[in-house]
Amino acid sequence: MSRIEARLAELGITLPEAPAPAANYVPYVRSGQHLFVSGQISNGPEGLIVGKLGAGMDVVEGALAARFCGLALIAQAKAALGDLDRVKRVVKLVGFVNSTAEFTDQPKVVNGCSDLMVEVFGDAGRHARSAVSAASLPLGVAVEIEAIFEVE
């Protein structure tokens, strides 16, 4: 068992299947030492996590939705690389939060994904990041996050 697989087991985390693309794009592209993972939407064990932050959905629910995005990002990295130990670093996350114009806690929502990356990859999980508001997201989901990984 790889080091990262062992860490996931220690944390009690089971990765979902890497989601198939929903339109005319690929789930990831490797270019040199970087793996670019397309935006992953908030999809939990019970299905899509839909809602708008600031209008019936709170920061705790949004952070959980972002965590599920992070699990999908890691699942895509595993599908691309075969072995998560090949991830040298989480370079950058870009998080989109379906939120009202008045909602300003997008960073706290995207922390759900950021915290997961550090839990799983340790210091190599610390990354640059953007957390922005969106008036709406595909299928009405609460959060979508894309990632760039440095890989071997």
Side-chain angles (χ1 to χ4, degrees), residues 50-143:
V50 299
K52 187 173 283 284
L53 280 291
M57 183 175 249
D58 65 26
V59 170
V60 172
E61 294 168 308
L64 180 60
R67 183 177 178 90
F68 285 119
C69 293
L71 291 171
L73 289 166
I74 295 169
Q76 292 291 6
K78 182 175 180 182
L81 303 169
D83 181 357
L84 288 170
D85 283 356
R86 294 179 63 198
V87 173
K88 291 173 66 175
R89 165 164 217 111
V90 180
V91 175
K92 184 167 186 183
L93 299 179
V94 179
F96 302 93
V97 180
N98 186 353
S99 55
T100 64
E102 300 76 30
F103 185 82
T104 59
D105 283 333
Q106 290 83 5
K108 291 179 183 176
V109 170
V110 179
N111 278 347
C113 183
S114 292
D115 292 348
L116 174 69
M117 294 301 167
V118 175
E119 284 177 52
V120 172
F121 296 104
D123 280 342
R126 298 191 186 284
H127 51 273
R129 186 182 88 178
S130 299
V132 298
S133 178
S136 68
L137 289 173
L139 306 173
V141 297
V143 182

Side-chain angles (χ1 to χ4, degrees), residues 19 22 25 38-44 48-49 65-66 68-70 72-73 137-146:
Y25 64 91
S38 296
Q40 301 297 300
I41 59 175
S42 50
N43 192 7
L48 293 177
I49 301 171
F68 285 119
C69 293
L73 289 166
L137 289 173
L139 306 173
V141 297
V143 182
E144 179 175 352
I145 303 176
E146 63 182 53

